[in-house]
Amino acid sequence: MAEKVIILGSGPAGYTAAIYAARAGLSPLLVEGLEPGGQLMITTDVDNYPGFPDGIKGPDLMTAMRRQAERFGTRITTGNVTAANLKKRPFKITADGNDFSCGALIVATGAAARWMGLPSEEALKGKGVSACATCDGFFFKGQDVVVVGGGDTALEEALYLANFTKSVVVVHRRDELRASKVMQDAAKKKPKISFIWDSIVTEIKDPSEGKVTGVVLKNVKSGGSQTIPCDGVFVAIGHEPNTAVFKNQLALDEKGYIITKPGSAKTSVDGVFAAGDAADHIYRQAVTAAGSGCMAALDAEKWLNIHIS
């Protein structure tokens, strides 16, 4: 028997959608991926989520959201979605060999930050290494930080960090930025922001101390190395939306983000809704993801009332 609604994803968007759908009596089934809780599971302190004046640990926030969703009757199963058929109803979803069907689908599969792939980077995630200046930048007030990247995202991070850090060094592997001219002009006007060209990060110091103390850079042209002291590293080389399974089924933009209709969570397929970072490449915040999860659930409820008896 088909589910009324299936929610894919267990970040703030997915859990919020589940809370609203469950409270509406839709008995949602939530399929959490292989990394339950999404990107907040690697975030230590969350200080900008409303309602927690003293802050909250990322994993604690996700655990609380999960309990709240389950309290209202959300059923949760674990599985990696490997296939989807959205061309006819009920929609078909395959996760780890198990098949599910539903009248309405909410896609909240999120996005993953691109990382450099360094062992030292992995060891220091949440301990001075971040992929979100808006999330973690405040912890580096008056300190020296490094931003890795050369696109709009990197310069947005650098400009944000320049508001309260002591200095921001942008490290880019090429000798010119890929960012738009307006972003370049804004960054170059900031005295706190400087640039190191033709360089890549080969190591982040120092996992043995449990914190960031500097970065080792290699010049890709000369082969020479240098160590830059710093207190934090922000990796800004892009994000990958977790939407590959929906290629050729949902309308996606050139970067793979799900396109939603303005002012709604509706996608190009009637009865399929999207929320969170799978559709949002601009804000990428827990609170905006939660808000869009609410929108998706409300849109799905209205759609089901009209189309499914």
Side-chain angles (χ1 to χ4, degrees):
M1 182 176 176
E3 304 284 346
K4 289 182 180 178
V5 60
I6 288 178
I7 300 164
L8 305 180
S10 57
Y15 283 143
T16 303
I19 291 166
Y20 274 80
R23 282 173 55 84
L26 299 179
S27 302
L29 174 67
L30 185 147
V31 181
E32 63 178 11
L34 299 182
E35 296 180 359
Q39 296 183 71
L40 278 182
M41 296 303 287
I42 60 170
T43 302
T44 49
D45 296 307
V46 179
D47 270 348
N48 56 5
Y49 199 89
F52 299 93
D54 298 319
I56 185 172
K57 302 292 184 184
D60 292 343
L61 178 60
M62 300 321 300
T63 298
M65 286 189 179
R66 180 190 178 103
R67 286 176 54 200
Q68 191 172 0
E70 290 180 314
R71 173 189 162 203
F72 294 115
T74 300
R75 291 161 296 129
I76 298 177
T77 185
T78 300
N80 186 38
V81 176
T82 55
N85 184 352
L86 309 181
K87 299 189 182 302
K88 62 178 182 178
R89 288 194 291 268
F91 302 125
K92 304 288 186 182
I93 299 295
T94 301
D96 288 348
N98 297 311
D99 293 326
F100 304 94
S101 60
C102 59
L105 179 68
I106 296 175
V107 181
T109 48
R114 291 195 193 109
W115 298 96
M116 296 180 288
L118 304 173
S120 53
E121 171 190 55
E122 183 66 29
L124 290 168
K125 283 180 184 176
K127 300 176 181 177
V129 173
S130 172
C132 179
T134 311
C135 309
D136 302 321
F138 184 78
F139 301 115
F140 297 89
K141 190 174 183 179
Q143 300 184 44
D144 300 305
V145 300
V146 165
V147 173
V148 181
D152 278 354
T153 298
L155 294 196
E156 286 171 6
E157 301 272 277
L159 286 164
Y160 178 81
L161 290 164
N163 291 325
F164 40 81
T165 57
K166 182 180 178 183
S167 70
V168 181
V169 177
V170 177
V171 175
H172 187 40
R173 62 167 52 242
R174 299 180 178 86
D175 58 5
E176 60 180 3
L177 298 166
R178 293 179 289 107
S180 59
K181 186 177 184 301
V182 64
M183 293 298 295
Q184 292 191 42
D185 291 344
K188 289 174 181 177
K189 287 178 183 176
K190 291 279 188 179
K192 286 186 181 180
I193 299 177
S194 60
F195 298 86
I196 295 180
W197 307 105
D198 301 318
S199 297
I200 59 173
V201 176
T202 58
E203 185 182 359
I204 301 175
K205 301 284 188 179
D206 187 354
S208 65
E209 294 189 25
K211 65 179 182 179
V212 172
T213 61
V215 293
V216 179
L217 305 180
K218 176 184 177 181
N219 187 290
V220 295
K221 290 184 176 178
S222 71
S225 293
Q226 63 173 319
T227 299
I228 303 295
C230 66
D231 305 294
V233 176
F234 290 84
V235 181
I237 54 178
H239 288 74
E240 291 283 354
N242 300 320
T243 59
V245 72
F246 301 108
K247 188 177 180 181
N248 300 323
Q249 300 212 55
L250 293 175
L252 308 176
D253 70 11
E254 67 279 1
K255 293 182 180 179
Y257 290 90
I258 300 171
I259 297 172
T260 55
K261 297 178 181 178
S264 78
K266 299 174 183 176
T267 70
S268 59
V269 173
D270 201 25
V272 179
F273 308 88
D277 289 10
D280 172 22
H281 60 91
I282 298 174
Y283 299 105
R284 297 196 303 266
Q285 298 298 301
V287 69
T288 51
S292 66
C294 166
M295 292 170 59
L298 294 176
D299 284 350
E301 179 193 2
K302 291 176 183 177
W303 186 87
L304 286 166
N305 285 338
I306 295 172
H307 294 87
I308 306 293
S309 58

